[in-house]
């Protein structure tokens, strides 16, 4: 079966008001051009979610992170229902920067996934190994543990989950995984899904992140189990982001 591709731009801690207006307009054009073949979305800083959501029609809007708590004494946090009300319909969960810089454990990631589903947000679950883990051949053990502990079984609606494989050593380094390295992990993730649920294996999108750009997108999207991309740096360049979306639309 052909899975609809997914391309999300993760803006991280970037974007003035003027920049996010320009990036949102461009992402929306790219989403409209890709039509049904690609789900295009952007993940702005939380303060811009409502503004971006008001400016896009075809593109989806994701939070970069949500709290595992719904409300209460949690200064600085963003509730899933708040993100939804502000106009997000997806959220990233478990990005390696959250895990590494802000100490998010697998248990916290699992609680955030549950909170997102409870609120009605789609989830892009981010997983991936560090260079040290890859070098001692622990890649699949790490990725499997991260998925195992985060995804409820059986998962809720399958079109509201994407798994983003983002090897930590490829994020923001300009060092992309080769298509073979990406396909290898993606096919293991697909196998993990298949062992639980054939329908999940067929439908859940597994996307790649880590120095994706307009030049390497074609060969990554040619991989059988690479269903799209989570794009960091290149999503801040409207022409490149549009090119990546167009490449996804043309692939397969
Ligand atoms: P880069 O594309 O800048 O490597 O970032 C990837 C990423 O972390 C997307 O979430």
């Amino acid at each position: 079966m052909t899975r609809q591709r997914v391309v999300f731009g993760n803006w991280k801690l970037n974007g003035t008001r003027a920049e996010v207006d320009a990036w949102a307009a461009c992402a929306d054009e790219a989403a409209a051009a890709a039509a049904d073949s690609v789900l295009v979305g952007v993940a702005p800083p939380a303060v811009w979610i409502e503004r971006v959501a008001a400016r896009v029609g075809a593109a989806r809007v994701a939070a970069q992170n949500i709290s595992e708590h719904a409300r209460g004494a949690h200064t600085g946090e963003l509730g899933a229902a708040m993100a939804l009300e502000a106009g997000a319909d997806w959220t990233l969960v478990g990005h390696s920067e959250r895990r590494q810089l802000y100490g998010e454990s697998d248990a916290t990631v699992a609680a955030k996934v549950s909170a997102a589903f409870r609120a009605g947000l789609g989830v892009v679950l981010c997983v991936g190994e560090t260079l040290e883990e890859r070098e001692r051949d622990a890649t699949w053990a790490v990725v499997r543990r991260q998925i195992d502990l985060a995804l409820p079984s059986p998962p809720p609606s399958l079109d509201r989950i994407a798994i983003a494989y983002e090897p930590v050593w490829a994020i923001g380094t300009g060092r992309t995984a080769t298509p073979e390295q990406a396909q290898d992990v993606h096919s293991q993730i697909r196998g993990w899904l298949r062992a639980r649920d054939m329908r999940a294996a067929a439908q859940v999108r597994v996307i790649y992140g880590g120095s994706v750009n307009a030049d390497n997108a074609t060969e990554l999207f040619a991989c059988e189990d690479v269903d799209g991309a989570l794009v960091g740096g290149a999503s801040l360049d409207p022409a490149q982001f549009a090119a990546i979306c167009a490449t996804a639309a043309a692939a397969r």
Side-chain angles (χ1 to χ4, degrees):
M1 102 177 247
T2 310
R3 288 175 291 277
Q4 182 197 38
R5 289 174 173 274
V6 175
V7 176
F8 270 89
N10 176 7
W11 296 349
K12 307 191 180 183
L13 183 52
N14 294 291
T16 63
R17 191 192 305 249
E19 282 170 334
V20 303
D21 287 358
W23 298 341
C26 165
D28 205 43
E29 254 178 53
D36 290 341
S37 59
V38 188
L39 181 77
V40 174
V42 294
V47 71
W48 299 133
I49 287 175
E50 188 150 23
R51 185 175 182 89
V52 170
R55 280 169 164 70
V56 298
R60 308 289 92 216
V61 180
Q64 295 177 11
N65 175 41
I66 50 142
S67 172
E68 66 273 40
H69 305 288
R71 60 191 304 146
H74 299 284
T75 302
E77 291 293 282
L78 171 70
M82 296 167 188
L84 186 82
E85 212 176 343
D89 36 25
W90 286 78
T91 185
L92 312 185
V93 177
H95 192 281
S96 65
E97 287 151 17
R98 300 298 317 170
R99 295 178 193 259
Q100 294 204 314
L101 305 176
Y102 299 95
E104 275 186 20
S105 66
D106 289 321
T108 305
V109 171
K112 290 185 176 200
V113 170
S114 300
F117 286 142
R118 262 198 314 278
L121 292 173
V123 170
V124 179
L125 171 68
C126 305
V127 297
E129 82 288 1
T130 63
L131 186 58
E132 182 271 321
E133 288 161 341
R134 172 161 286 264
E135 283 174 347
R136 65 176 159 85
D137 282 334
T139 297
W140 176 238
V142 169
V143 170
R144 186 185 53 210
R145 187 200 75 226
Q146 291 173 335
I147 302 174
D148 249 335
L149 296 179
L151 274 195
S153 177
S157 53
L158 300 174
D159 58 349
R160 303 287 284 154
I161 306 171
I163 297 174
Y165 169 57
E166 299 203 299
V168 177
W169 47 270
I171 294 178
T173 58
R175 185 177 163 197
T176 324
T178 64
E180 294 72 30
Q181 286 172 322
Q183 169 59 25
D184 179 47
V185 177
H186 282 230
S187 73
Q188 291 188 85
I189 295 172
R190 187 86 56 210
W192 181 94
L193 289 164
R194 196 176 299 116
R196 269 146 202 82
D197 181 344
M198 292 301 283
R199 240 169 28 94
Q203 289 181 39
V204 171
R205 272 75 60 90
V206 184
I207 65 179
Y208 170 80
S211 299
V212 175
N213 58 40
D215 295 328
N216 59 29
T218 303
E219 57 179 15
L220 286 163
F221 294 162
C223 299
E224 186 181 345
D225 291 298
V226 176
D227 300 316
L230 182 55
V231 184
S235 74
L236 307 180
D237 173 347
Q240 263 208 79
F241 188 64
I244 294 166
C245 295
T247 301
R252 217 175 254 158

